[in-house]
Amino acid sequence: MGRRTLSGLSGPWREFSLIAALQRRFASAGPGDCLGLGDDAAAYRPRRGRLELVTCDALVENIHWKSRWCGPRALGIRAAAVNLSDIAAMGGEPERGFLILALPRASTQAFAWEIAAGVASELRRFRARLAGGDTVASAGPVMVALALQGTVPGRQLLTRSGARPGDRILVTGFLGDAAAGRRVLDAPARAWPGKKYLRGRFLRPQPRIRAARVLAQSGWVSAMLDLSDGLAGDLRRLAQASGVGARVEGGRLPISAPARVLAQRLRVPAEDLALRGGEDYELLFTAPARRIRELQSLLARRARIRATEVGEILPLAAGLCLRTADGRRRPWPQGWEHHGA
Ligand code: ADP
Ligand code: MG
């Protein structure tokens, strides 16, 4: 099935046979699905008592990725993962994806298939379906744009705006790995320690859907977002949306051993990678101090993920501040901007 059902893989891409192959390989109906991929529009029945979530992201060649970094399968997986992460950030469950591919005429059918199959398989890992899209020619670079619809039980929606002074600030997983991984990809010939791990952390972010559901169900989380631009920039957004200040303890940032070693070799502070490096797609959330331990143990038990307390929400007038491991205060670092985003 799949690739083998596509004829002329090395020839130019053709929309109809791509769609037919996607239907054969990934046709599946989930709860509420009436019409999936193949008609003029998808049709589904909204789930009672739930809010609809819709998000989209576009990846453009040479802006968001370089073709030498990864093949088309990994690109598709990554496009799905960054969208899934946005649904996670709202506390939701992903349901249906809509994929727009813009491809140069010279791209092969295999290339188109691998991107679409990467998207569809990553969606499937989280019980979401590819429910439609469009495939068009591009006179310039490759573009992969995905829209993703999901739902969240009405009362469990998590936004950026609920943080209150005294709440603690937590993050899942490690910070700075993806930024380290991008440096590895830019210098592939160098023998980095932990090279494979770091590269994987950039190319294959793990959407924290499960962890986010645990957090949303707990009812204790006051604000949440996913870390796409680095803690410094994203915590600023959360603070602005909530009308609060915040203090982060630099010494508490969860940094993996490979990221530390890489930072040392590059002679950049590991803290900078963690604060300013983007694209980790971990969750940043706040909750009252008395709930932290239980949330951490829930996440460990039910989502197999560690959450680290990195700071505290302060009143608005306190602004944003960073305290280094040796107790000094540092100005708030500038967030890192995506390539062109
Ligand atoms: P139309 O011309 O009516 O927009 P298309 O021929 O472009 O329809 O697409 C036919 C079907 O294939 C539609 O259901 C559309 O959603 C789906 N489709 C087209 N391209 C993609 C793609 N890249 N990924 C997923 N579904 C696609
Ligand atoms: Mg079309």
Side-chain angles (χ1 to χ4, degrees), residues 119-143:
V119 169
S121 61
E122 182 70 356
L123 292 181
R124 182 177 269 189
R125 278 211 309 135
F126 298 90
R127 292 207 237 131
R129 290 80 68 192
L130 187 60
D134 202 5
T135 313
V136 297
S138 164
V142 174
M143 185 188 75

Side-chain angles (χ1 to χ4, degrees), residues 4-21:
R4 274 179 288 123
T5 64
L6 269 168
S7 54
L9 277 168
S10 56
W13 62 271
R14 280 165 300 140
E15 184 176 20
F16 288 138
S17 56
L18 178 69
I19 294 165

Side-chain angles (χ1 to χ4, degrees), residues 300-322:
R301 273 201 325 271
R302 295 184 41 207
R304 306 248 161 261
I305 182 104
R306 196 172 69 168
T308 308
E309 185 180 331
V310 298
E312 185 175 342
I313 295 293
L314 304 175
L316 180 63
L320 295 172
C321 73
L322 174 67

Side-chain angles (χ1 to χ4, degrees), residues 310-341:
V310 298
E312 185 175 342
I313 295 293
L314 304 175
L316 180 63
L320 295 172
C321 73
L322 174 67
R323 201 153 61 185
T324 55
D326 55 14
R328 278 179 304 162
R329 295 175 133 239
R330 260 182 50 185
W332 195 251
Q334 292 301 308
W336 175 77
E337 301 288 327
H338 283 274
H339 316 254

Side-chain angles (χ1 to χ4, degrees), residues 5-273:
T5 64
L6 269 168
S7 54
L9 277 168
S10 56
W13 62 271
R14 280 165 300 140
E15 184 176 20
F16 288 138
S17 56
L18 178 69
I19 294 165
L22 282 171
Q23 278 178 311
R24 281 195 297 270
R25 174 71 179 77
F26 291 104
S28 67
D33 283 347
C34 305
L35 272 179
L37 198 160
D39 215 305
D40 289 312
Y44 66 90
R45 225 175 289 287
R47 291 165 77 180
R48 211 179 264 270
R50 290 188 167 237
L51 291 172
E52 294 283 318
L53 304 169
V54 183
T55 179
C56 49
D57 270 290
L59 301 179
V60 177
E61 183 180 10
N62 295 327
I63 303 287
H64 300 98
W65 92 93
K66 299 190 178 111
S67 60
R68 63 182 151 80
W69 284 359
C70 65
R73 172 72 60 150
L75 177 62
I77 290 173
R78 187 174 153 78
V82 303
N83 266 264
L84 287 160
S85 178
D86 280 321
I87 295 290
M90 308 305 290
E93 289 168 356
E95 294 179 355
R96 299 167 190 89
F98 300 86
L99 172 66
I100 296 183
L101 285 177
L103 302 168
R105 296 243 178 250
S107 296
T108 63
Q109 184 73 313
F111 183 82
W113 168 256
E114 288 296 319
I115 297 175
V119 169
S121 61
E122 182 70 356
L123 292 181
R124 182 177 269 189
R125 278 211 309 135
F126 298 90
R127 292 207 237 131
R129 290 80 68 192
L130 187 60
D134 202 5
T135 313
V136 297
S138 164
V142 174
M143 185 188 75
V144 182
L146 186 68
L148 185 59
Q149 170 269 335
T151 63
V152 59
R155 274 193 253 277
Q156 293 178 13
L157 180 74
L158 293 176
T159 68
R160 302 173 173 192
S161 59
R164 294 293 166 258
D167 284 355
R168 298 302 147 89
I169 303 166
L170 288 92
V171 295
T172 58
F174 291 115
L175 302 185
D177 280 351
R182 203 162 27 79
R183 285 171 169 80
V184 168
L185 287 163
D186 273 332
R190 293 181 70 169
W192 302 106
K195 190 168 159 170
K196 209 171 148 203
Y197 165 82
L198 294 174
R199 196 170 48 203
R201 290 277 291 160
F202 175 82
L203 288 177
R204 199 149 189 189
Q206 293 300 314
R208 301 300 183 195
I209 298 281
R210 195 164 171 74
R213 289 297 305 138
V214 169
L215 292 170
Q217 282 165 348
S218 76
W220 296 330
V221 171
S222 50
M224 185 155 84
L225 55 65
D226 69 320
L227 287 167
S228 52
D229 294 338
L231 181 65
D234 288 329
L235 181 56
R236 173 185 278 133
R237 292 165 159 185
L238 184 146
Q240 267 166 2
S242 296
V244 296
R247 182 184 58 243
V248 164
E249 309 287 344
R252 289 197 182 182
L253 297 171
I255 301 171
S256 71
R260 275 190 198 287
V261 173
L262 183 128
Q264 221 165 37
R265 297 237 177 146
L266 293 176
R267 299 199 167 74
V268 299
E271 268 183 22
D272 277 14
L273 278 186

